[in-house]
Amino acid sequence: MIEHESSIRDTSAGGHPDELLPWYANGTLEGEDRARVESHLAGCDRCRAEVEGLRELRAALKRGEAAEGPGELGRRRLRRTVAQERRRVRPRSLWRPALAAAAALVIAVETGLLVREATGPETYRPLQGAGPAEAVLQVRFAPEATEAQIRALLNEVGAYLVGGPGALGVYRLALEERGPDAVERAASRLRRREAIVREVRRQ
Amino acid sequence: MGALRDRSESAPAEHDDGQAATLLAAIADGSEPALERFYRTYEGVVYTFALRRLGEPADAADVLNETMLEVWRGAGRFEQRARVRTWLLGIAHHKILDRMRRRGRRREDELDPAMPDDEAEPAWASIAAAQDAGRLRACLDRLSDAHREVVHLAFFEDLSYPEIARLVGCPEGTVKTRMFHARRALKRCLVEGPEAAPGGGSE
């Protein structure tokens, strides 16, 4: 690649700060660079016009440049790729550490569940700062279910773990899909897998 | 949720980045749902970047998948001081280069960035005309890859020149130089039309 370093005019001696203007136009210029451009622009019509042109270019690019990715197809492909990768590489310890990372959440859940068990029908609500996604289901898995079985089932149902296990072995699940029907659908699909799932409740 | 992360001294500048960093921590622990959420967030960023440089949707989809696999493998190597977006685009940048190397040849209709230095620099007057669509796209597509990349990163992603230099792995001066020549080639193409611009031969 040919880089024409030499052909940029030396602007350090008070010429037009041409090479900085694009980054003034995109709003990322800081410190000395920014001060230099600003003081120059105050007295230079040419550079003000240039900045204006660059802003137009930026706006036009933002309107026309974005492209839509492969979406669901891409997600499925990635899932297959990761599954291959998991077979290739020694399985990582995936269950416990993921939960440990959500420690604050788990504490909230446990507290909530204990309260819930003690007071019967009272509705449990997640404590504030509900974490990355709203849990809609509470699930207890069969003690003999393996991690691989549980993971496959969650992928199949489009559910993911957002908390647990609580003191009573209850995990909280969120769903990829939104809406009340989605929750009911997921719950009944989970219930059908009796070998893996012991109990499903709506949050 | 302070227990999730203890990074107060190097908190990411952007709120979105904070969330993305949390997702990366979960991915590093082996959470596929977290990877899926990460994919949903950044699919467009990576795909658009790859498509604008490679031109082929199938190639861009490959790069997207390879980049996300790399995220799966290397999420634990993400440094909290960096921005997630810059880190991710850096991974994509290398995947794109790999693909270009495998592909071999340069395009032959590339705009010649080596414009004589004393030639009067055109103004941006015709950007307005280009805004109705195709012309700007056509001119961008005919920039050399390195030039198109810097234009994309500066005006579509709004990255600063130090960020671009780190991402691409070249000196900051080179980023400015590339942008300088990209602007001139682009301006000239917008004025004269993509058909009129002389083809390649810069190497």
Side-chain angles (χ1 to χ4, degrees):
Chain A
M1 185 93 31
I2 298 177
E3 302 288 354
H4 307 268
E5 289 281 359
S6 59
S7 62
I8 288 193
R9 277 153 283 180
D10 178 14
T11 58
S12 54
H16 301 294
D18 254 323
E19 83 287 0
L20 292 177
L21 297 183
W23 286 278
Y24 183 76
N26 82 0
T28 63
L29 217 52
E30 293 175 338
E32 265 178 47
D33 282 346
R34 185 179 180 86
R36 202 178 114 214
V37 169
E38 277 174 350
S39 73
H40 178 86
L41 286 180
C44 181
D45 289 345
R46 172 196 170 281
C47 285
R48 274 204 304 276
E50 179 67 18
V51 167
E52 206 39 56
L54 289 166
R55 283 187 177 140
E56 276 182 44
L57 173 66
R58 174 169 168 265
L61 225 73
K62 282 192 188 294
R63 276 196 303 276
E65 186 94 335
E68 192 120 352
E72 177 57 30
L73 278 179
R75 287 199 293 280
R76 266 191 248 147
R77 178 178 177 185
L78 182 61
R79 264 177 242 145
R80 284 197 305 273
T81 309
V82 167
Q84 283 166 7
E85 175 82 358
R86 278 200 190 272
R87 282 195 293 274
R88 206 174 59 77
V89 185
R90 192 173 56 83
R92 297 193 238 184
S93 52
L94 35 125
W95 207 235
R96 297 283 162 188
L99 293 172
L105 200 59
V106 171
I107 291 162
V109 171
E110 285 179 350
T111 314
L113 285 172
L114 289 172
V115 168
R116 185 176 195 276
E117 291 301 318
T119 58
E122 186 178 321
T123 319
Y124 164 67
R125 278 170 212 217
L127 302 181
Q128 75 223 17
E134 198 195 342
V136 290
L137 291 172
Q138 299 184 358
V139 175
R140 262 189 325 123
F141 296 108
E144 60 275 11
T146 67
E147 184 275 326
Q149 285 175 320
I150 293 172
R151 176 154 43 87
L153 177 59
L154 293 183
N155 272 338
E156 187 188 312
V157 175
Y160 54 96
L161 204 63
V162 291
L168 302 159
V170 177
Y171 290 84
R172 295 165 71 226
L173 304 184
L175 298 179
E176 296 287 352
E177 223 181 324
R178 301 279 150 149
D181 292 353
V183 177
E184 212 28 72
R185 247 194 330 272
S188 66
R189 286 170 75 186
L190 288 166
R191 282 192 192 104
R192 256 177 273 144
R193 306 293 286 275
E194 288 163 1
I196 304 172
V197 176
R198 263 303 126 77
E199 189 182 3
V200 182
R201 284 191 227 170
R202 295 185 69 135
Q203 179 81 45
Chain B
M1 290 282 143
L4 283 179
R5 300 187 295 140
D6 182 24
R7 293 158 195 154
S8 38
E9 77 248 84
S10 58
E14 297 177 345
H15 172 70
D16 286 358
D17 250 39
Q19 272 205 338
T22 308
L23 279 181
L24 284 177
I27 294 168
D29 281 338
S31 164
E32 284 181 48
L35 180 67
E36 187 130 346
R37 285 165 64 82
F38 187 88
Y39 177 100
R40 285 172 189 269
T41 308
Y42 288 104
E43 171 187 17
V45 168
V46 174
Y47 182 80
T48 300
F49 182 49
L51 181 67
R52 291 317 176 202
R53 293 184 58 198
L54 294 165
E56 294 288 335
D59 287 349
D62 286 352
V63 165
L64 172 64
N65 197 58
E66 288 166 16
T67 302
M68 290 296 172
L69 176 60
E70 202 58 45
V71 169
W72 171 251
R73 287 173 178 161
R77 289 195 293 274
F78 172 70
E79 287 174 29
Q80 296 305 327
R81 277 168 313 164
R83 288 208 298 163
V84 172
R85 184 175 283 252
T86 321
W87 176 77
L88 181 64
L89 285 169
I91 296 174
H93 167 79
H94 289 291
K95 300 292 173 197
I96 290 166
L97 287 189
D98 286 349
R99 194 150 285 264
M100 284 179 166
R101 248 174 249 133
R102 263 179 277 153
R103 229 193 225 179
R105 277 177 321 122
R106 279 165 67 95
R107 299 172 33 148
E108 310 220 320
D109 57 348
E110 223 162 66
L111 292 173
D112 184 1
M115 194 157 75
D117 201 35
D118 50 0
E119 189 171 317
E121 192 171 323
W124 284 113
S126 49
I127 288 197
Q131 278 176 353
D132 64 306
R135 190 165 185 158
L136 176 60
R137 175 83 270 139
C139 287
L140 283 168
D141 283 345
R142 294 193 58 197
L143 291 177
S144 75
D145 175 61
H147 290 173
R148 196 164 54 244
E149 179 178 43
V150 75
V151 169
H152 181 89
L153 294 175
F155 292 134
F156 188 71
E157 291 294 346
D158 284 337
L159 300 187
S160 69
Y161 70 81
E163 280 177 314
I164 296 175
R166 271 198 305 278
L167 190 161
V168 174
C170 71
E172 293 180 358
T174 305
V175 173
K176 293 185 199 161
T177 312
R178 285 182 186 167
M179 175 59 101
F180 182 82
H181 289 289
R183 270 158 71 197
R184 298 183 83 179
L186 204 51
K187 275 181 181 175
R188 193 164 55 154
C189 177
L190 287 171
V191 172
E192 295 172 6
E195 318 77 29
S202 62
E203 276 187 4

